[in-house]
Amino acid sequence: KVIPGVGSIAGGFASVVATGASTYAVGHLVKRLFSEGRSFDEVDPSVLKAEAKKYYEAGRKQARDAAERVKKAGGRFRRKGE
């Protein structure tokens, strides 16, 4: 609130990271289950929750790293190593 816009930028960054992490988690969890020939109703919900949390944390790191690369590139997306 002291500097206009800073809170919005920080909030946007957090939102991007959370959205990226959620997408990563769901995608990897579904991919793994289906590659094993299983569906969600065949797995204990507590196991799904634990697995989703693990993938979410991994996705959060990936999303945070990607957002930092975009920020360092002046807002332009570059692939890792470019």
Side-chain angles (χ1 to χ4, degrees):
K1 291 192 175 196
V2 176
I3 303 171
V6 173
S8 299
I9 292 169
F13 180 78
S15 178
V16 166
V17 171
T19 301
S22 298
T23 302
Y24 180 94
V26 170
H28 281 283
L29 187 58
V30 168
K31 179 182 165 184
R32 197 193 92 223
L33 288 174
F34 288 171
S35 71
E36 294 172 356
R38 299 177 354 181
S39 66
F40 288 108
D41 58 344
E42 296 174 6
V43 183
D44 179 4
S46 63
V47 172
L48 278 178
K49 185 176 179 179
E51 289 291 315
K53 185 175 180 178
K54 180 182 80 170
Y55 284 120
Y56 181 85
E57 291 303 321
R60 196 167 96 180
K61 182 183 180 331
Q62 293 281 336
R64 189 179 296 130
D65 292 347
E68 284 296 327
R69 287 194 311 272
V70 169
K71 189 170 134 183
K72 286 179 183 175
R76 295 183 330 233
F77 179 77
R78 294 183 183 170
R79 292 180 188 246
K80 202 173 196 175
E82 285 184 17

